[in-house]
Amino acid sequence: MHPNLRIIILGILSLFLVLAFLADAQNELGLKVYFLDVGQGDAIFIETQDKKQILVDGGPNNKVIQELGEVMPFWDRAIDLVILTHPDRDHITGLIEVLKRYKVKGIIETGIECDKPECLAWHDLKEKEEAIIILAKFGDSLTFDENTKLLILNPFKSVAGEKVSKINNTSAVVKLIFGDHSILLTGDIEAQVERKLVLAGVDIDSDYLKIPHHGSKTSTTEELLDKTSPLMAFISLGKNNPYGHPHQDIISRLEKRNIKYYRTDEVGTILLNCKLDLPCQIETQN
Amino acid sequence: MTKSKIFLFLMLAFILGVGSGSFFDIASQAVLVVAIAAVSLVAVFYRRGSRILSFPIAFSAFLILAFSAGVLRYDASESLAKVLTNFNDVNANIQLLGYVNDEPEQLTNKQRLLLQIKEIRVPGNAIFTDEKVLVTSDLYPEFEYGDFVLAEGKLQSPKSFGDFDYAVYLAKESIFSLSYYPKITEIKQEDFLGAGPISGFESFKIYLFKNIFKVKKVFEESIERVVAEPNASFINGILLGTREGIPQNLKEAFNKTGTTHILAISGYNITIVGLYISSLFLFFMRRQKAFWLTVIAIILFTILTGASPSVIRAAIMGILVLLAYREGRFYDMTNSIVFAGVIMIALNPKILRFDVGFQLSFLATLGLIYLAPFLKEKLKKIPEFWSFKENFIATLSAQAMVLPIILYNFGSFSLVALPANVLILPVVPLTMFFGFLAGILGLVWSRLGEVVGLIAWLFSEYEILIVKLFS
C-alpha cells in the first residue's frame, strides 16, 4: 500500500470517528424514555439527564439487542441499571442476552422463586456479572441526581425466595420522577394489586402511565386510571398477538377519560423526551 | 489425446452421471448391467495395440463406466435408511434420543437444533437408527453441540413456502423430518438403550467439534460484547459466516444489492482474504513460504468457522485460486478444479443439483481463474487505485459466471451489485482484520477490545451504509 494512502485512510477514519461522536453528543438533553418495539412484551429503556441508563424488562425475544443498538451510543457497552419487574418470559428473555453483551452495574428484581429455563440462564449469568443486586420492595428508592428519582411501589413487602402462583401481581411497580414529570411503570400487575395501591393511598399519581399487562382486561381498572390520572398512556405489545391485547374495555376506559395513548404495535418504538420545566415531547418510529 | 484430457473427460462423465441420476429415475440394475458389460468388454479385449479394441472404443467404455458410477453414486445417496419419516405427520408423540449434531442456530425469537437421532421410542418399542431431525424450540434452555438429548414431540414433513422448496433444501443435508417445540431434556450417554449407539469415531468427532465450537462461541460473544448491534452480527457474519443475528431488513438489503456473499463464507471471499493474507506475508518472506502459510491460515480459519462442508468446499476452491495466482498459469488449473468438484460431488452427490452455494462457489471460482486474467489483459490501461480495479475485475468475472444460476434461482439480478461490491470489497478485509483483533483483545482486556471495536464498528458502518444506500 502506498504510504500516503495510509495517512489518508487514517485521516478519514479519525474524521468519521469525530463526526460520529459529535452526532451522538448533540442529542437533545433531558430525560428520555423509550418504549422499545420488541413484540408481545415489555422493554423500556431510560436515559436520565446525567446519561445514566436504565433498562426495565427485556421483552420476549432478543430483539431488544437490535433496539438498544439504535438508541444507545455505539461506543457504550454498559448499562447502569437493569430492572426485571417479574420473571415471565415476555419480560425476562431479552434481558439474558443483555447480560451476555453489556456490562450491567446494578440489577433490581423481586427475587421470587422461578425454575423456568429462562430464569436458570438469567441466574447463571447474574452470578458472573459483578452487579449490585437489589431485591425490590415498597419504599426502596434510588436517587440519580437532584431532579431524578426512582421509587419502588410494589411488591409491598419483599417476596424474595417465595413461591408465588400469580407472578404478575408480584411485578415491581416503579415510579420515575424527573423534576415535575413523573412516569409510572407497572409491569404486569392486575386488578388486585391496582386496588391495593389505590386503597393503601400510595402516591401513584403520574403524568405518564405504562398500561399494565399489555392492555389485558384483567388490569387497568377504573380506580387505577382515576388515581393515576395520567396525561398519556403507553401500551407495549405485539401486532396480532394471540391474547387479543389490548382489550377493548381498556381502550374505552382510556378514551372515556381523554387519555391519549400510544401502542408499540402501531407506532413502533416510542420516545418520551422530557426536559425540566417544559412539557414532554413524544416521538414515534412510524 | 493427452492423459490429462482423458482424465478430464472421465471426470466430466462422472459429473454427468450424477446429474442424470438426480434428474431422471434411472434403475440401478440397468446401470449395473451396462457398467459390467463395459468392464468385461475392456477386460476381455484390452491388449496393447489391439486391433479389435481400438482406442476410441476403449475410451468410450471407460466413459460409460464413469457415467454409471455417477448414476450409482447418486442412487446410493437416495436409498438411505429412513425410519423417521414413517412417523412424520402422525398425530402422536414419540421420544427421540440422540445428540445435537451442529451448532444451535440462535434466531431472534427461537433456536434451531439439528439432532442426530440414534434411538426412537414409541410405547412398548425402541428402534435404533441414525438419522437427522431439525428441531425448532424456544431460546431457552440453551444447548451445545454434542449434548445428549431426549426430545418428545411430533414429527412433520418439511413444507415448501412460496417459491422456496424447503423440502429439497433440507433433503440435500439428509433432513426429512422436522419437529416444532418438542419437550427437550438433556440426558446422559448411559440413558440410551442400545449397547453403544455412538461409535468411537463418532465420539471423537463430537469431542473435537465440541471444542472447536466452544472456541468459536467464545470469540463470537467477545465481538458481541465489544461492538454494538447490528454491526457485531455483521462482523461475525463476514468473519465466521454466522448471520442469524443480522436483522431481517438488513439481510434483505444485502440480498438486493448482491452483497450477501460477503456474509457467507464462499470460495470467492476466502480467495480475497487469502490474497490479502498472502500479500501481508509477502512483506516478510519469500513467495513460496508465504503461499504455504496462507494455506495454513485458510485451514485454521476453516476449522474455526466450524468446518461445515460448505466452508470446506469454499476453502478448497479458494486454495485452488491462490494456487492459480501463484503459478500464473491459469489454463492448467482445469483438472484440479474439476477434480475438487468431483470429490465434493462424490462425497455428497446432492450438492450438484440442489446446493446453490456449491454451484455459485464453483462457477465463481471458474470465473476468477479464467475470466479475470482475460479482463485484466483487456483493462490494462486503466490505472490501479487501492485495489479498486482488482475488485472490479474480480467482481465482474465472478458475477458473470454466476449470472445464469442467480437468474434461475432468484429470478432477478441486481444491477447495483457491481458498484456496491466495488465500494464495499476493499473495506471487507480491513473490517475482518479489526473485527478479529477486537474479538481477541476483548477476551484479554475488554476496554482495549472496545477501543479496537470502535474501528471495526466504523468500517462495518460504512459497509452497512453503502448497502442501505443501494438497496
Side-chain angles (χ1 to χ4, degrees), chain B residues 384-395:
Chain B
E384 174 68 299
F385 175 68
W386 190 28
S387 68
F388 269 113
K389 184 182 157 191
E390 197 179 321
N391 283 311
F392 177 79
I393 291 173
T395 307

Side-chain angles (χ1 to χ4, degrees), chain A residues 66-178:
Chain A
Q66 298 297 338
E67 294 289 321
L68 287 176
E70 301 277 327
V71 300
M72 282 174 72
F74 67 87
W75 66 80
D76 192 350
R77 306 305 300 155
I79 293 174
D80 296 281
L81 179 64
V82 162
I83 300 176
L84 171 63
T85 60
H86 66 298
D88 270 348
R89 283 211 344 227
D90 52 339
H91 295 252
I92 191 174
T93 307
L95 287 184
I96 302 166
E97 197 65 23
V98 167
L99 279 193
K100 283 188 199 166
R101 291 170 183 245
Y102 289 89
K103 184 168 285 166
V104 173
K105 293 173 191 162
I107 295 172
I108 296 181
E109 61 176 342
T110 59
I112 60 162
E113 196 186 289
C114 168
D115 52 12
K116 280 182 273 218
E118 289 80 9
C119 293
L120 300 179
W122 162 259
H123 190 78
D124 284 351
L125 286 163
K126 215 170 53 183
E127 304 240 296
K128 282 186 218 152
E129 197 87 39
E130 289 152 6
I132 302 162
I133 294 171
I134 300 167
L135 296 171
K137 62 173 195 305
F138 179 85
D140 291 344
S141 72
L142 271 176
T143 306
F144 291 93
D145 57 65
E146 51 189 2
N147 297 313
T148 317
K149 220 160 103 180
L150 191 149
L151 308 174
I152 296 191
L153 308 181
N154 192 58
F156 275 42
K157 58 178 182 34
S158 175
V159 288
E162 280 178 35
K163 205 173 168 64
V164 187
S165 57
K166 288 200 107 185
I167 296 176
N168 281 345
N169 276 333
T170 65
S171 290
V173 173
V174 171
K175 187 174 176 180
L176 183 72
I177 299 169
F178 175 57

Side-chain angles (χ1 to χ4, degrees), chain A residues 61-62 66 77 96 100-101, chain B residues 108 142 224-225 229 245:
Chain A
N61 50 43
N62 290 337
Q66 298 297 338
R77 306 305 300 155
I96 302 166
K100 283 188 199 166
R101 291 170 183 245
Chain B
T108 319
E142 292 179 308
E224 285 164 359
R225 270 196 307 274
E229 284 294 351

Side-chain angles (χ1 to χ4, degrees), chain B residues 202-415:
Chain B
E202 212 167 357
S203 303
F204 175 72
K205 191 195 87 182
I206 294 173
Y207 170 80
L208 187 72
F209 276 96
K210 205 173 180 138
N211 286 304
I212 291 176
F213 288 140
K214 248 184 208 143
V215 172
K216 184 181 174 190
K217 194 166 185 202
V218 164
F219 183 78
E220 271 174 7
E221 288 183 347
S222 172
I223 297 263
E224 285 164 359
R225 270 196 307 274
V226 297
V227 181
E229 284 294 351
N231 303 49
S233 294
F234 171 75
I235 291 170
N236 274 331
I238 57 171
L239 266 181
L240 301 168
T242 41
R243 48 176 146 166
E244 59 241 24
I246 299 170
Q248 198 53 39
N249 56 356
L250 192 57
K251 263 190 211 164
E252 277 159 21
F254 276 103
N255 275 336
K256 271 190 213 152
T257 53
T259 45
T260 308
H261 65 88
I262 64 169
L263 300 174
I265 296 162
S266 61
Y268 175 49
N269 93 349
I270 281 196
T271 309
I272 304 259
V273 174
L275 285 174
Y276 271 89
I277 295 176
S278 72
S279 63
L280 197 73
F281 282 139
L282 275 174
F283 271 119
F284 308 106
M285 59 193 76
R286 288 155 155 277
R287 222 180 159 74
Q288 195 71 10
K289 223 176 179 181
F291 171 78
W292 288 113
L293 278 178
T294 309
V295 170
I296 291 170
I298 289 178
I299 292 170
L300 287 177
F301 176 74
T302 308
I303 292 173
L304 181 66
T305 58
S308 68
S310 67
V311 177
I312 294 175
R313 289 195 286 266
I316 292 173
M317 288 300 163
I319 291 172
L320 283 175
V321 177
L322 286 180
L323 199 69
Y325 273 77
R326 186 189 71 145
E327 300 284 322
R329 294 183 313 187
F330 298 101
Y331 300 97
D332 289 353
M333 293 297 297
T334 316
N335 272 17
S336 325
I337 290 175
V338 177
F339 184 62
V342 164
I343 298 284
M344 293 168 196
I345 292 167
L347 288 173
N348 181 358
K350 293 215 171 81
I351 60 173
L352 180 64
R353 182 175 164 199
F354 299 115
D355 191 335
V356 183
F358 168 74
Q359 295 158 3
L360 292 179
S361 220
F362 193 77
L363 288 174
T365 307
L366 288 178
L368 285 171
I369 291 183
Y370 295 105
L371 215 51
F374 173 76
L375 286 175
K376 214 173 202 167
E377 193 62 33
K378 292 273 166 205
L379 301 171
K380 236 179 192 168
K381 286 190 187 123
I382 300 172
E384 174 68 299
F385 175 68
W386 190 28
S387 68
F388 269 113
K389 184 182 157 191
E390 197 179 321
N391 283 311
F392 177 79
I393 291 173
T395 307
L396 193 64
S397 39
Q399 288 280 351
M401 285 302 283
V402 300
L403 185 64
I405 302 279
I406 292 196
L407 283 176
Y408 177 76
N409 284 293
F410 307 110
S412 69
F413 180 70
S414 165
L415 277 178

Side-chain angles (χ1 to χ4, degrees), chain A residues 13, chain B residues 223 235 429-439 452-453 455-456 459:
Chain A
L13 205 68
Chain B
I223 297 263
I235 291 170
L430 287 170
T431 321
M432 292 177 83
F433 175 72
F434 284 107
F436 183 74
L437 202 64
V452 179
I455 304 174
F459 282 122

Side-chain angles (χ1 to χ4, degrees), chain B residues 51-104:
Chain B
R51 283 205 198 136
I52 310 163
L53 197 68
S54 61
F55 174 76
I57 296 180
F59 185 50
S60 316
F62 276 107
L63 284 182
I64 290 169
L65 200 61
F67 179 86
S68 316
V71 176
L72 290 175
R73 178 65 193 97
Y74 189 84
D75 284 356
S77 76
E78 287 274 81
S79 60
L80 285 169
K82 286 188 231 166
V83 184
L84 277 177
T85 46
N86 295 325
F87 297 97
N88 281 4
D89 311 306
V90 174
N91 196 21
N93 278 357
I94 54 167
Q95 292 186 325
L96 303 166
L97 286 82
Y99 66 91
V100 181
N101 195 13
D102 197 2
E103 273 178 297

